[in-house]
Amino acid sequence: MITGLLTSALLLWTPLALAAMGGLLHRVGGVVNIGLEGQMLVGALIGALVSGATGNWALGVLAAAAAGGAVGLLMSLCVTRLGANEIIAGLGFTIVLSGLIGYLLRSVFDVSGTLRVPGLDPLPRVLGLDPLFLLAVVLVPVVAWSLRNTAAGLRLRATGDGFDAATALGIPANGIRDIAGTVAGTLAGIAGSHLVLGQVGLFNEDMVAGRGFIALAAFYFGRARPLPTALACLLFAVFDATQARLQTSGVPAQLIQTLPYLVVIAVLTATAVRDARGESRRAG
Amino acid sequence: MSVSAGSNRTKYSRALTSAVRAVVPFVIALVIGGTVLLATGHNPVEFYQLLVREAFGGTDRIAATLSAATPLLFTGLATAIAFRAGVFNVGVEGGFVFGGLIAATVALHAGLLAGMVAGALAGVLVSALPGWLKARWNVDEVVTTLMFNFVVSGVTGWLVTTFLQAKGVANSATTLIPQGSWLPDLLPPYGLTAGVLVALALVLLYALWIKHSVLGYELRQTGLNPRFSAAQGIRVGRVIIVSMLVSGAIAGLGGAAHALGVVHRFVDGFSPGYGFTGIAVALLGRNSAVGVTLGAVLFGALASAGTTAQLFSDIPLDIVDVLSGTVMIFAVVRLWRQR
């Protein structure tokens, strides 16, 4: 029972952690990425199609990464170069992408909502673990270390902490944000491919089901630090695995599903209250 | 920063600019939608002609368009009021849905008027906490209101499968409201309800209120520059809370009108994203009363025509989402340098 729960929690953790690490990098660079949801959906579809067409899971994942990255870059350009509000751009992209994908499914593939891809090559498993899980596990310390110890990490943090100051110092802040947005899209795309290739085995237009927003919740909860963010993802994954199991025993799944979102509100409030207190202390 | 240069502009050229600003995103959306249609082997010109015909060709079609525009008038107006005060409320969807559930439940037992009032109060409930958190502690309202949408969706989904579910119904829905408590139809066969009148009255009130009342002035000032407003003696926190409560009330009322006028009950999946389309409406209409009305009619036309166009051609309704999302993005994009 416990092992089963743990295995499925880890399976659910992988896409959350991948998307959240992307969102975290973007956040450190100073942009809240609301578009993760749509980017995951694109990654899921492209991953399924390419994996099916080539019979090779690795190519599927790479294509999903490329597609997610392209969308991430496009969204970032709207924000950095065209002055779009990041929230509206993120929501807008998510709406466009889910509409476009629904349209393509019905118009081109002639299916309503669910696409079975013949020849789809699922992720291989070693001892019940898949390569993307390992990628996510490796990514967490790598991101933490890079943010702290590399020039790229320093520049990203500088961009996020003080955009104008960074620009004044000659750091190409907009370019750095674009790179962060592209990386976020890439990771979200890979996360989407994990849903298809690592979990379900077919594509459904509702399959992301708010996971992009849960990833957002996770990096808010982790205050944009890699290890706490990854742990927040684990917490949400355990919730998710538990509610799937408790459904039959009458515990309301819908209420458990609201917990990540309530946690974000609580975390934001706690942070703001602390900041306000700190400010008044400094002022007084 | 960019406002100062506006003083030497004539009123006429400013009106022209805002008209261009509203048309350009829509044209871009049509081009992108057209590209998608072309790429999938459809004729975009033919499809757009069909859309216009289905949206405005005849009394029945105009009634259908106005009926589809009604929820968007509510959600667009609710969004615009908050935006006007500089509060980025993206939680109108939640207010609409919760308002719909509560209105459907109350109207079942206490009639039409009580249902409408309860719906508005339910909307207020959804927006109150993010509004207060923003005003008191400066908690980022964009994220809290967005998160509240998911919380509301979970809570309503739970309520409608437990306490409030109709007996003997397989899907998650409340009991059908008796006909005496429905919002009356204006043009009986066409499904245009009195909800549209309520919405238009609210839009008119908004236009008067924002231009000619003290609170409306304070609201606009706060939206333009909260720190300057505070220095002027405007109680910014109060203005923010009021704008959020009014926004929530209108969102909830919209849900109530949809439940009591159109659906006659609450079902899970009650809103196909009216709150989010409302954001596009407010952005496109630049938060003005006339703009919101035109925006709502435009998106209403898209939705109603898209539904019937789906029957006559094999073009899926999802194309409408592509169009409205694109409008949303390009309504906030600066395509030319503002000076």
Side-chain angles (χ1 to χ4, degrees):
Chain A
M1 168 75 192
I2 295 295
T3 8
L5 186 77
L6 203 65
T7 325
S8 67
L10 287 181
L11 194 66
L12 296 166
W13 176 77
T14 305
L16 284 183
L18 287 169
M21 284 303 130
L24 175 151
L25 287 171
H26 211 180
R27 182 78 193 87
V28 171
V31 181
V32 178
N33 190 324
I34 307 270
L36 294 171
E37 181 87 3
Q39 292 155 359
M40 285 178 79
L41 193 63
V42 170
L45 178 65
I46 300 294
L49 291 177
V50 173
S51 159
T54 60
N56 184 330
W57 64 267
L59 288 177
V61 172
L62 284 178
V71 173
L73 176 62
L74 212 58
M75 195 179 99
S76 180
L77 288 176
C78 286
V79 175
T80 58
R81 313 292 158 150
L82 299 174
N85 175 289
E86 64 207 52
I87 307 292
I88 302 294
L91 267 182
F93 266 86
T94 297
I95 292 172
V96 169
L97 292 171
S98 70
L100 187 63
I101 285 171
Y103 173 83
L104 291 176
L105 286 179
R106 287 173 186 81
S107 178
V108 177
F109 298 102
D110 243 341
V111 294
S112 66
T114 302
L115 181 69
R116 284 166 207 283
V117 180
L120 182 130
D121 184 31
L123 296 179
R125 267 169 210 282
V126 184
L127 301 170
L129 304 174
D130 61 62
L132 294 184
F133 171 74
L134 298 174
L135 173 69
V137 168
V138 172
L139 202 59
V140 177
V142 167
V143 167
W145 185 84
S146 312
L147 278 178
R148 212 177 277 246
N149 298 309
T150 64
L154 180 68
R155 292 170 128 213
L156 186 66
R157 282 186 290 136
T159 302
D161 283 343
F163 186 84
D164 296 331
T167 313
L169 284 173
I171 294 176
N174 270 330
I176 287 175
R177 282 193 175 170
D178 287 337
I179 295 171
T182 312
V183 171
T186 305
L187 289 174
I190 297 176
S193 76
H194 185 269
L195 294 177
V196 177
L197 303 178
Q199 297 186 17
V200 189
L202 51 80
F203 176 81
N204 181 285
E205 64 177 336
D206 297 323
M207 74 186 310
V208 179
R211 285 189 176 81
F213 293 108
I214 305 259
L216 178 89
F219 69 73
Y220 263 103
F221 193 33
R223 314 244 344 250
R225 285 168 304 171
L227 188 62
T229 300
L231 290 176
C233 290
L234 188 61
L235 183 69
F236 295 150
V238 170
F239 278 153
D240 204 2
T242 315
Q243 59 92 358
R245 262 143 225 270
L246 290 181
Q247 221 150 24
T248 43
S249 63
V251 177
Q254 292 112 324
L255 290 187
I256 296 180
Q257 279 161 358
T258 64
L259 283 175
Y261 306 116
L262 286 172
V263 164
V264 174
I265 296 168
V267 168
L268 277 178
T269 306
T271 316
V273 170
R274 207 201 49 190
D275 288 354
R277 289 248 165 89
E279 218 160 82
S280 66
R281 211 172 301 138
R282 245 174 284 138
Chain B
M1 285 168 278
S2 57
V3 189
S4 55
S7 54
N8 55 359
R9 253 194 232 159
T10 62
K11 212 173 185 179
Y12 170 73
S13 88
R14 235 178 289 147
L16 190 72
T17 313
S18 65
V20 168
R21 282 218 189 109
V23 169
V24 167
F26 200 71
V27 171
I28 295 175
L30 289 182
V31 171
I32 289 180
T35 315
V36 172
L37 291 167
L38 263 183
T40 51
H42 299 285
N43 182 342
V45 177
E46 244 170 54
F47 179 68
Y48 289 147
Q49 277 172 346
L50 180 67
L51 276 191
V52 173
R53 220 170 31 245
E54 288 303 315
F56 301 108
T59 319
D60 57 333
R61 299 313 312 157
I62 292 174
T65 290
L66 289 179
S67 154
T70 305
L72 301 177
L73 276 171
F74 283 104
T75 58
L77 183 63
T79 312
I81 286 180
F83 278 7
R84 209 58 192 266
V87 189
F88 243 78
N89 181 12
V90 291
V92 167
E93 177 79 8
F96 187 91
V97 169
F98 198 52
L101 173 69
I102 299 302
T105 308
V106 170
L108 198 61
H109 305 289
L112 174 66
L113 193 65
M116 294 292 279
V117 172
L121 289 178
V124 167
L125 206 64
V126 174
S127 66
L129 185 61
W132 180 75
L133 288 175
K134 164 81 178 170
R136 177 67 185 85
W137 297 108
N138 199 23
V139 180
D140 182 16
E141 79 283 9
V142 181
V143 181
T144 53
T145 51
L146 184 69
M147 294 295 142
F148 256 101
N149 289 333
F150 299 110
V151 175
V152 166
S153 149
V155 170
T156 52
W158 171 64
L159 285 173
V160 80
T161 47
T162 51
F163 307 112
L164 304 179
Q165 188 171 20
K167 286 190 177 58
V169 180
N171 58 348
S172 323
T174 60
T175 311
L176 198 68
I177 301 163
Q179 203 163 355
S181 303
W182 293 3
L183 267 177
D185 271 339
L186 294 181
L187 287 166
Y190 303 132
L192 180 65
T193 71
V196 74
L197 299 180
V198 177
L200 288 173
L202 285 175
V203 171
L204 192 66
L205 274 177
Y206 167 68
L208 295 174
W209 181 63
I210 200 84
K211 275 230 171 79
H212 299 292
S213 77
V214 175
L215 190 62
Y217 169 79
E218 292 182 342
L219 203 78
R220 278 183 290 143
Q221 287 302 312
T222 305
L224 289 173
N225 190 339
R227 293 180 69 182
F228 179 66
S229 309
Q232 269 185 308
I234 293 176
R235 279 181 287 169
V236 170
R238 198 186 62 136
V239 171
I240 288 174
I241 290 184
V242 168
S243 76
M244 275 298 275
L245 295 184
V246 174
S247 172
I250 294 173
L253 207 54
H258 196 59
L260 304 184
V262 182
V263 191
H264 303 135
R265 59 178 5 151
F266 178 88
V267 290
D268 211 6
F270 177 72
S271 162
Y274 287 132
F276 297 115
T277 313
I279 299 174
V281 167
L283 289 171
L284 193 66
R286 305 202 91 75
N287 305 332
S288 80
V290 177
V292 165
T293 310
L294 292 178
V297 170
L298 204 61
F299 280 105
L302 263 181
S304 82
T307 318
T308 51
Q310 201 177 10
L311 303 174
F312 297 121
S313 61
D314 53 349
I315 293 175
L317 184 58
D318 304 81
I319 194 76
V320 172
D321 284 339
V322 177
L323 296 175
S324 61
T326 313
V327 168
M328 203 160 144
I329 297 167
F330 283 94
V332 291
V333 153
R334 256 188 281 118
L335 288 175
W336 48 84
R337 286 255 166 267
Q338 276 176 321
R339 306 203 95 266

